[in-house]
Amino acid sequence: MNLLNQIKEKVATAFTACGFDTSNTLVRLSDRPDMSDYQANGALPLAKALKQNPRSIAEPIAAKLREDSFFESVSVDGPGFINMRISDAVLGAQAFNVLSGPQCGYERPDEIKTIVLDYGGPNVAKALHVGHLRPAVIGESIKRICRFVGDKVIADVHLGDWGKPMGLLITELQDRFPNLPYFDDTFTGDYPAEAPFTSKDLETLYPVASAHAKEDEDYAARARENTRLLQNGHRGYRALWNHFINLSVSDIKELYNELDVSFDLWRGESHVHDRLQNMIARLRQSGVLIPDQGAEIIPLGKAKNGNDLPPLIMVKSDGAVMYGATDLATIEERVDEFHPDAILYVVDARQGLHFEQVFSGAAQINLANGVSLEHLGFGTINGTDNKPYKTRSGGIPTLRYLIDTAVTAARQKMESGEMGRDLNEKEKTRISKIVGVSALKFADLMNERMKNYIFDEDKLTSTEGKTGPYILYAIVRMKSVLDKLGASGILTKADTVTITAPAERQLLLRLYALPDSVQTAYDNRAPHVIADYLFKLAQDFNLFYHDCPIKDADEETQKSRLALTKYALHVAEACADMLGLQIPDKM
Ligand code: ARG
């Protein structure tokens, strides 16, 4: 049992022994580490209910707890807080039993949840850009946190592959290459297996087509018609569209690979097309779908803020299906196929209204009864001027640009000697990639999801302060200490810790506190809680490393400090994994 749960048990027993109800003992990590390790605040609500003085309730409970050698001291402070300090002997003795497992003391709930996690949200034929960093990085971390807790998670990229952009591209290609077989309605042969264009071609054609449609109504109408024909199964267009998908998906996978972001499902909006047609027919028949100026809509009730929600447009007047409609059909599919307890969407906060509409529509047609639908929004990435981040030349940065900028910044820190002083050229190239990407991810994950943050390439790759490199440095140091003194390897019962200095105690207490951070991060879908914990762990380790000599310590002390380093590494690696950070072998 982890430390917090052991203390909860002991406190509950003391409450009972004093004749009190144990439903509200309020045991938690101390928010005053200078005064105690853990605290129990349950005497306060109890006193209120019993109309007694909280201190006179807390005192006998504290007296009971003092009888247990588990605690070094127990005091009643303020209006009636019970402050507990654990004995050093207990802290040292519990290390192996509590920390050595794969969950580092986190106790998984009995009930396993199934979660569909929708993140990434890239679009076919468009280069991934700055807006795609956060959904990929945050989504990946939430996936890993949920899996750490024991959930079964199905990660789906939900590719944007079915809307107007597809029709625009087809129209542009039609105008430029009218002789391609895809545009020949009499063609009955096999279409070429290889696309007659590259993904780069598509990325340049799309903005041209989009601009064209804005000023040429004729062209725009053709694009709408082509979208409709594609959706309705036009043979040539489907073949063309398959090229779009194949080219884009391989580009997208390459970038996600560099970010160490991966998915179980590579489905797109198109995947639910047939299901959506059935759904629309059904909703028409049951009268839920209402004609409205040529379109078909589902009227919705009130929004969270009390205003009326705008109706969900399912089918546009030109017959094309809308984004919200594919999202509804996708909910139906996910429920049918995976029976999830929750479907989570890691998508820009600015799509809040969209998801409110979709969830309200889903509730109205009983699509997801008992399934928790959650939009996990996030803020924007700004430049140092606090406006949306731009490239040096003022354009919208691609994801490629962001990764390269971070890697180059890491590389520069190596050239300037801030890091990587002992690395040769080849290692610098290899390791600046790992450090740059981890720095980029950490600089994102350490922020509360909903807040905007400032992308500052210089800061994010600094080795000082709350940064990825600072943390990686600490972890690499743990590894190298263990390697140098021949102490690497899996944890065993022989890895015992004896506390001899305050820094050891502080580090060990930090390790025992992991479950609390995991639970908070999980409950709030908040990777920044793990990022924050890992940063504090790195600080505590550095303090320990500074205060407590290892190499020159006597044999017994050295053994204990190496064991403590091993536990620190074990927990730090678990956290890095939850954040999706890779750790270099040296730095
Ligand atoms: N592709 C969409 C976009 O670029 C994001 C998709 C998010 N997921 C969803 N199920 N709607 O805005």
Side-chain angles (χ1 to χ4, degrees):
M1 202 187 292
N2 68 39
L3 224 54
L4 181 62
N5 286 338
Q6 291 181 53
I7 296 164
K8 279 184 181 165
E9 265 193 13
K10 288 180 187 293
V11 170
T13 307
F15 268 59
T16 308
C18 298
F20 297 123
D21 171 51
T22 60
S23 53
N24 216 5
T25 57
L26 299 181
V27 177
R28 59 178 69 143
L29 278 167
S30 171
D31 46 27
R32 288 289 303 275
D34 53 323
M35 287 174 74
S36 64
D37 303 332
Y38 290 81
Q39 61 189 78
N41 298 343
L44 297 149
L46 211 51
K48 209 166 176 192
L50 302 173
K51 296 196 170 49
Q52 284 183 28
N53 176 352
R55 286 194 71 107
S56 55
I57 290 182
E59 279 302 350
I61 298 172
K64 261 271 158 281
L65 290 170
R66 275 182 211 114
E67 291 168 12
D68 190 338
S69 61
F70 191 91
F71 300 106
E72 184 184 293
S73 64
V74 180
S75 61
V76 176
D77 300 291
F81 303 123
I82 301 172
N83 275 313
M84 295 161 277
R85 198 176 150 91
I86 317 297
S87 90
D88 287 359
V90 168
L91 287 181
Q94 298 234 356
F96 183 77
N97 284 343
V98 174
L99 298 172
S100 65
Q103 263 61 50
C104 311
Y106 180 80
E107 288 160 29
R108 290 179 161 180
D110 296 332
E111 192 197 337
I112 289 177
K113 293 221 159 98
T114 301
I115 292 180
V116 175
L117 185 61
D118 179 319
Y119 65 103
N123 298 309
V124 163
K126 289 193 222 169
L128 293 177
H129 57 74
V130 56
H132 292 107
L133 180 68
R134 304 206 72 191
V137 166
I138 296 172
E140 179 69 21
S141 177
I142 291 177
K143 175 180 81 178
R144 289 158 178 256
I145 292 168
C146 291
R147 286 190 179 154
F148 189 90
V149 164
D151 288 346
K152 177 173 176 236
V153 186
I154 299 124
D156 185 6
V157 75
H158 202 72
L159 213 54
D161 63 354
W162 210 224
K164 201 170 91 190
M166 302 298 108
L168 283 167
L169 271 177
I170 293 171
T171 309
E172 191 59 30
L173 287 165
Q174 192 171 33
D175 287 356
R176 293 192 186 208
F177 312 102
N179 296 329
L180 286 174
Y182 312 96
F183 305 116
D184 176 0
D185 284 340
T186 63
F187 184 80
T188 52
D190 288 338
Y191 294 104
E194 289 280 317
F197 40 75
T198 65
S199 57
K200 284 278 153 298
D201 294 336
L202 296 179
E203 286 169 12
T204 27
L205 284 184
Y206 175 71
V208 175
S210 169
H212 194 166
K214 284 196 183 101
E215 57 202 30
D216 180 346
E217 183 38 45
D218 225 40
Y219 182 93
R222 279 176 53 220
R224 281 197 295 274
E225 176 60 5
N226 282 339
T227 308
R228 198 184 62 80
L229 288 171
L230 168 72
Q231 291 185 349
N232 289 343
H234 184 288
R235 201 173 150 264
Y237 292 2
R238 286 283 175 109
L240 203 53
W241 171 81
N242 273 319
H243 291 317
F244 300 167
I245 307 271
N246 291 338
L247 292 173
S248 285
V249 165
S250 83
D251 277 10
I252 295 168
K253 281 191 175 163
E254 195 181 307
L255 275 167
Y256 281 164
N257 236 341
E258 284 181 50
L259 289 175
D260 206 4
V261 167
S262 64
F263 298 88
D264 305 303
L265 298 178
W266 278 83
R267 291 185 187 167
E269 295 166 0
S270 63
H271 187 79
V272 292
H273 187 70
D274 294 342
R275 181 184 284 274
L276 177 54
Q277 298 310 315
N278 293 334
M279 183 184 236
I280 288 170
R282 215 171 59 230
L283 295 179
R284 244 179 224 143
Q285 217 169 31
S286 63
V288 175
L289 207 57
I290 294 177
D292 184 75
Q293 300 165 49
E296 290 180 284
I297 62 166
I298 302 179
L300 302 171
K302 294 265 181 232
K304 272 184 266 173
N305 64 10
N307 295 343
D308 287 331
L309 272 174
L312 191 67
I313 306 174
M314 294 287 284
V315 188
K316 269 202 311 188
S317 52
D318 61 21
V321 294
M322 298 291 284
Y323 181 46
T326 54
D327 263 330
L328 270 192
T330 306
I331 292 178
E332 187 187 75
E333 179 182 75
R334 288 169 175 169
V335 171
D336 275 4
E337 194 173 336
F338 303 113
H339 312 290
D341 298 287
I343 307 177
L344 315 182
Y345 299 82
V346 183
V347 183
D348 196 313
R350 288 170 293 189
Q351 291 195 30
L353 178 61
H354 166 77
F355 284 105
E356 225 184 308
Q357 289 177 288
V358 169
F359 299 167
S360 162
Q364 206 158 134
I365 59 178
N366 295 314
L367 260 194
N369 290 336
V371 181
S372 161
L373 302 175
E374 303 170 31
H375 172 212
L376 310 179
F378 51 80
T380 55
I381 303 180
N382 291 340
T384 39
D385 58 359
N386 213 11
K387 298 204 183 100
Y389 182 65
K390 294 273 166 59
T391 60
R392 283 188 208 284
S393 50
I396 294 179
T398 58
L399 190 53
R400 168 89 280 142
Y401 177 92
L402 287 184
I403 295 175
D404 289 349
T405 302
V407 171
T408 306
R411 179 70 201 220
Q412 270 160 6
K413 297 268 147 89
M414 291 181 182
E415 299 310 329
S416 70
E418 193 178 324
M419 61 170 107
R421 276 180 293 270
D422 304 326
L423 304 180
N424 62 36
E425 277 307 296
K426 232 173 122 192
E427 287 170 335
K428 279 184 183 165
T429 305
R430 180 173 63 83
I431 290 169
S432 60
K433 279 197 190 130
I434 304 174
V435 174
V437 168
S438 286
L440 180 69
K441 294 178 83 172
F442 187 82
D444 192 308
L445 292 169
M446 72 179 201
N447 302 287
E448 276 177 51
R449 223 183 345 99
M450 287 300 277
K451 291 198 174 147
N452 303 340
Y453 75 89
I454 289 174
F455 181 88
D456 181 343
E457 59 210 65
D458 203 47
K459 246 194 214 140
L460 68 91
T461 51
S462 168
T463 50
E464 277 158 38
K466 195 171 179 178
T467 69
Y470 175 83
I471 285 162
L472 297 184
Y473 244 123
I475 301 179
V476 167
R477 177 174 279 164
M478 295 172 196
K479 285 199 209 186
S480 83
V481 167
L482 293 171
D483 280 350
K484 276 194 192 122
L485 295 170
S488 307
I490 56 156
L491 285 157
T492 70
K493 275 205 159 58
D495 290 309
T496 53
V497 178
T498 309
I499 292 175
T500 60
E504 292 170 329
R505 189 173 203 283
Q506 186 172 322
L507 175 57
L508 200 46
L509 271 172
R510 178 75 60 201
L511 302 182
Y512 287 128
L514 176 76
D516 197 60
S517 291
V518 169
Q519 197 60 49
T520 308
Y522 177 80
D523 291 343
N524 300 299
R525 320 291 188 206
H528 83 272
V529 175
I530 302 294
D532 198 50
Y533 172 87
L534 181 55
F535 174 58
K536 290 184 178 136
L537 168 53
Q539 284 182 311
D540 288 340
F541 176 77
N542 284 343
L543 180 74
F544 156 74
Y545 185 77
H546 176 267
D547 282 6
C548 303
I550 302 180
K551 199 165 132 270
D552 300 323
D554 64 79
E555 200 184 316
E556 211 167 307
T557 310
Q558 182 181 89
K559 210 176 151 273
S560 161
R561 289 180 178 168
L562 286 172
L564 181 53
T565 304
K566 251 168 121 170
Y567 289 113
L569 177 62
H570 180 60
V571 175
E573 282 181 331
C575 293
D577 193 60
M578 277 187 266
L579 296 173
L581 303 181
Q582 286 197 0
I583 302 159
D585 43 329
K586 43 184 156 178
M587 247 176 110

